[in-house]
Amino acid sequence: MLRKMMGGVAVAAVLLAAGMATAQDFSAERISNDIRTISADEYQGRYPGTEGERMTLAWLQAQYEAMGLEPGGPDGQWLQPVALKRFTPVEGAASASWTGPDGVSHPLAVGTDVTLRAISNDGQASISNAPVVFAGYGITAPERNWDDYGDIDVRGKVVVVVPGEPEGELFNGEYDTNYESGAYKADEAFRRGAVGIVTLVPGAADSPMWQRTVRGATRTRTLTPGAADLEFSMATNHDVALQWATAAGLDMGRLASVGSGAFKAVPVNGVSLSVEAAETIDTLVTHNLLARLPGAERPDETIIYSAHWDHVGGETQHPETPGDDKIFNGAWDNASGTVGVVEMARQLSQAPRPERSIVFAHMAAEEMGLMGAYGYAADPVYPLATTVADINIDMLPLSGPTKDIPIFGKGQNDLEDRLQALAEPLGRYVSDDHMPEQGFYYRSDHFPFARAGVPALMPWHGWDWVEGGREAGEAAWRAKFGADYHKTSDEWSPELNFTSAVENLTLLYHLGLDLANSEDWPGWKSTSEFAQVRARTDAARQ
């Protein structure tokens, strides 16, 4: 199948390079004008749940109706509601204690010894004497021959993990994998039947690291749709963890081997935890908007182009903003990506009807933690097992032509190989994002799709300019990012250069159309942590 795919992509690439693929005509002027529209002051920074949301969604719907596309949301509607639960701890309601092998109960001071949050969907946690298991990093990665859990049964128990992931090339070197995230560790613990998770912060009670953890533990937080429904999450410092290990008679030398690959989870014998916690819940309802181009032959197989429509708001959300301009217009982030998806739909709607369906998905609340995309992944309108790919557009490049097309998550799936095959005849190449410290692969709306096993691609801003090379391109990008990212200065300007944006959109057009007219399925590379997730639904794609 891969050989068949690559042959089709190669043909498309040759046509593209020869100027023969004329079905698309991306307009820099139209892109600029549309960005100007939805990043204007009257849209008030497009914050979820506001008049800015209503105006943005109305504008989007009008564009798709004018194209003649059909609503792509649930029940034939344009909108998919996403209910975001926001949790705030009830003052004085949290308590915790641990009991050792001698049967003596030891109180734990919440906010001093431990932090404690109820993370179940009802905002309540009540656990009595749950046994404790130490699971090292809490990672099961068969593609890396790594399994911290081994054969231990954690059903009804509390799992203690250390943060992060092992260092070195086994876990992707300078680029983090998904295994380092607290969300993954909670998912894995929940999948195995645990009732709670404790993160061991490697600092003493008086350390700055622990004090930072405590300060951030009582804030209102938004529950990620589809998150692991554990009863509680806790963090504890080294001092408390040492008390548990000592009480259980654990060999500290053995525990020190967690980064070697030889470690397997161990029970903290005789130690149990009891917790009580309660949180108030308020709900913000926001909306994804979806439009659909139904496939002519295999309409149940879906390619998604996604972008988030929201930004961070205005004076209501940020009254502390200095100066007279308090509106975060978000022209670049992400009016540009929003308009990029609309323009993609405009071009694809004028091409011959594809064999597979294409959905244009405008995700809500990305700036709140990818919430709209997580909401879609938790309750997909189209089955994820037969979703071919997600192509995400977040912040179109604003420069002249570039040789490179950086992507988030290089080495993850073969969408990058397809993109490379299209780019190479044009003298361009696919690269990584150059900034491993940013963890970009986990910071935009493609990631909830990847986490659910759907191959996902997100192109980024080229640094290797045709005129000036990498030195000029990197300097310009860093200056632009530093000046405008999440600042009130991120506004439309007639000086914005969309040359590179049009180049990239053209390649993404051909990538999506090639997928929509093929029978094969892009896949994850053997070293990707998401291959095991996709494999669980292989039967649906036979």
Side-chain angles (χ1 to χ4, degrees), residues 221-251:
R221 61 181 180 81
T222 302
L223 183 70
T224 301
D229 195 18
L230 292 165
E231 290 295 307
F232 72 93
S233 67
M234 179 185 283
T236 189
N237 57 59
H238 178 270
D239 297 347
V240 172
L242 183 59
Q243 293 174 28
W244 297 350
T246 301
L250 286 179
D251 178 358

Side-chain angles (χ1 to χ4, degrees), residues 491-514:
E491 298 184 330
W492 176 86
S493 164
E495 304 303 316
L496 294 176
N497 187 343
F498 294 100
T499 303
S500 182
V502 167
E503 288 183 339
N504 282 9
L505 287 171
T506 301
L507 287 174
L508 297 179
Y509 166 95
H510 287 282
L511 177 63
L513 197 58
D514 289 346

